[in-house]
Amino acid sequence: MSETFKGKSTSRRAFLRGAAAAGAGALGAGAAKAATPDPLITETQPWARGFGDGVDVTPYGLPIRFEDDVVRRNVDWLTADTISSINFTPIHALEGTITPQGCAFERHHSGAIELAKEDYRLMINGLVETPLVFTYADLERFPRENHVYFCECAANTGMEWAGAQLNGAQFTHGMIHNMEYTGVSLRTILAEAGVKPEGKWVYVEGADASSNGRSIPMEKALDDVLVAFKANGEALRKEHGYPVRLVVPGWEGNMWVKWLRRIEVTDAAVQSREETSKYTDTLEDGTSRKWTWEMDAKSVVTSPSPQAPITHGQGPLVISGLAWSGRGAITRVDVSKDGGKTWETARLAKPGEKMALTRFYLDTTWDGKEMLLQSRAMDETGYVQPTKTQLREVRGLNSIYHNNCIQTWWVKPNGEAENVEVS
Amino acid sequence: MSETFKGKSTSRRAFLRGAAAAGAGALGAGAAKAATPDPLITETQPWARGFGDGVDVTPYGLPIRFEDDVVRRNVDWLTADTISSINFTPIHALEGTITPQGCAFERHHSGAIELAKEDYRLMINGLVETPLVFTYADLERFPRENHVYFCECAANTGMEWAGAQLNGAQFTHGMIHNMEYTGVSLRTILAEAGVKPEGKWVYVEGADASSNGRSIPMEKALDDVLVAFKANGEALRKEHGYPVRLVVPGWEGNMWVKWLRRIEVTDAAVQSREETSKYTDTLEDGTSRKWTWEMDAKSVVTSPSPQAPITHGQGPLVISGLAWSGRGAITRVDVSKDGGKTWETARLAKPGEKMALTRFYLDTTWDGKEMLLQSRAMDETGYVQPTKTQLREVRGLNSIYHNNCIQTWWVKPNGEAENVEVS
């Protein structure tokens, strides 16, 4: 850190002097006044004169009005109706790794339903010794776990397969969020009912009209799956499955069943609609990849990006981005400014954590010339994020899901950025 | 975990059978229906019949209406006016460790002001080689760090000194929150201006009318202090200092200056109002402890508690709580059910992290009899959280700030809890 900084000390100071001097009007004036601590300073700074809001104004605080653009957005052409659609997390405007629930993407197949805790029931049936029905209050009596995990829709970046080139990280990579979940291990719930020896899979479904049933192999069900009722400390938002959703670390978001209603232990996969006609990947030869549950290592530069252009001139520039892998922890991220010809190793804000977002930075100096910005993630299994070309070679152009290819932003001399393809 | 569970498997199943049978009406019916997967189930479950909300309904999602009570609360008798007051985080209703900004407590001395990024300026002056004025855009060009830290008001639990016994963890311990901050190291900012050899302290002040100036020794300023602009990924809330606040890990919240306006490097402490007549601790002999910056190791059981009574009968019970220390990581938490006569070691949800909240659990079985619930935290320095009696012996009864004594909840046979003192 401090080393990184020292290396740029001079240039940064030069640029800052520039900034302080350049700004005619507001900036110049503000700076001049500020330079001499002066009681009259308040005359130009109304906020320093009177009183602000009291503590009773906002029992539940909302973002300040200046941040009104940092919200989820959906695209009306993506699906037939918004009740069977998705919206996108404004990752271009967020920092760190935690996604606030308020702007965390949502995807559902028949709309976000309203289900009260008192009406909530979770049934465990099928190949178990004791079929059980849990109330919400019952779930609160089992040992709890807390884990930060990312949830990514299998369709994230899907429109890029054929080169749709949506103009912004929010739309190309925003079907993802990262929260601290509190819940009961599915292992605990299954042990309570007693899984019979022939039970090899669980079939999970939601209480909404679509039910969105999915099959999960018993190994995963007994490993790290959570029956979760809190996210970032609070109750789940209605649109995220209040009061209870399934958390399936590292696996595609569609399996994170919301409004979780039933867990049936079966001897084989159910082959439901959501795992046959949907959420499979059609290859060049017409055959389909099935059971593509894990989200492969992936990354994206969130700033600069089309929605977050460079608004300053050349000089010190912070390139910020996100990396993640459904197979474990991110171990390294490289950044390229020339479309993949040369790479620099980025700084990870913290060591990567299993199935959680990792924030990476490249603290650099911009020469004011155009850049072809890319990021390339590596995870603890040794997997390296592929280029779009490499991905197409093995998967063709018919796929929708599981596009984890390297993203390219063309940053122009004026600081604006565009979503482009480089071969 | 799974061991903890197995130990209680039988009793838990017994209690669950009980629950399924007991509930006349709603529960009984619900359970009965659920017991046989039946298409007609939808007739009693309207949410499973029609469509829910579309993705375009909530660009910024709010908590579901059933959670309307999970909000910050203030007490009108605490200060003369709510513009110079504080409200409390609903810790009794939260889980995990992250505090959502929306319900994170706020404290200010002249109200929460509205300050736009364009109007924001940060001056570094005093004993520096180059006095500088930064705009918000300038700050975004320095290397960023991300850290999860707790922020606790020095007055948290202060009303308990003389035994006010406020009835709820939100009011006794809710002047605390825990977020993932993104910002620039103060070390970086100071290096940019160049600290002169005689610069031994920094004096920090905010842009609000109170300015809330505080002195910080240079060792701390160069260690882990952050000039932060994001919390939990988003811009700071207005009431938390938008657009920029200081983050002083482990030290009393009053030093986490909001709407940060100026950082002056000085050769000595300024001895401002907020560090002399306020935020000092008057002892029995009339003298005052000064520079009591660090928040000592502390913990509290958040559930069960007066606002979170036990609503089920005897049997499996999850005791959940929070622990933290301004001197480093929490290493152990013990829980007592008999007012401190005997102790059981609690399970930490994750290994403690420096200056961050740690969630602890005691997965136990309640016999339905009254309990005197206490928790006792230990940190990596070997410090053990004291009893109220021990604290009074060394500090007397005149203190307001820095009350980190062990809290006692009297849980009655009917499950209700009360704030009590045990000697």
Side-chain angles (χ1 to χ4, degrees), chain A residues 376-404:
Chain A
R376 179 177 64 187
M378 284 156 251
D379 69 21
E380 62 184 298
T381 70
Y383 180 98
V384 180
Q385 184 180 1
T387 64
K388 190 176 283 185
T389 307
Q390 290 171 323
L391 204 61
R392 283 172 172 167
E393 278 168 6
V394 290
R395 303 242 198 103
L397 289 170
N398 302 329
S399 280
I400 296 171
Y401 308 109
H402 295 280
N403 181 348
N404 69 314

Side-chain angles (χ1 to χ4, degrees), chain A residues 12-13 34 52-53 58 61 65 67 72 93 95 97 102 112 114 123 141 144 180 192 230 238 242 316, chain B residues 12-13 34 52-53 58 61 65 67 72 93 95 97 102 110 112 114 123 141 144 180 192 230 238 242 316:
Chain A
R12 282 182 197 275
R13 185 166 302 141
D53 295 342
T58 50
R65 61 191 176 98
E67 300 291 316
R72 300 183 290 209
E95 257 295 336
T97 62
E114 184 173 89
M123 174 167 63
R141 302 179 70 175
R144 296 167 201 171
E180 179 190 45
E192 185 71 9
K230 302 255 181 166
K238 173 183 179 179
Y242 181 92
Chain B
R12 283 183 194 277
R13 186 166 301 139
D53 295 342
T58 50
R65 60 189 175 100
E67 300 291 316
R72 301 182 289 210
E95 258 295 338
T97 63
S110 55
E114 185 174 87
M123 176 169 60
R141 302 178 70 175
R144 295 168 202 170
E180 180 191 44
E192 185 69 10
K230 302 256 180 167
K238 173 183 179 178
Y242 181 93

Side-chain angles (χ1 to χ4, degrees), chain A residues 32-87:
Chain A
K33 277 230 181 299
T36 354
D38 174 356
L40 297 177
I41 195 172
T42 56
E43 290 183 8
T44 63
Q45 300 177 6
W47 53 81
R49 252 185 304 190
F51 290 126
D53 295 342
V55 296
D56 52 354
V57 174
T58 50
Y60 196 93
L62 288 172
I64 194 167
R65 61 191 176 98
F66 306 128
E67 300 291 316
D68 283 351
D69 61 324
V70 184
V71 292
R72 300 183 290 209
R73 291 184 175 81
N74 64 306
V75 291
D76 49 20
W77 51 262
L78 188 57
T79 55
D81 193 307
T82 59
I83 55 159
S84 63
S85 192
I86 190 158
N87 58 23

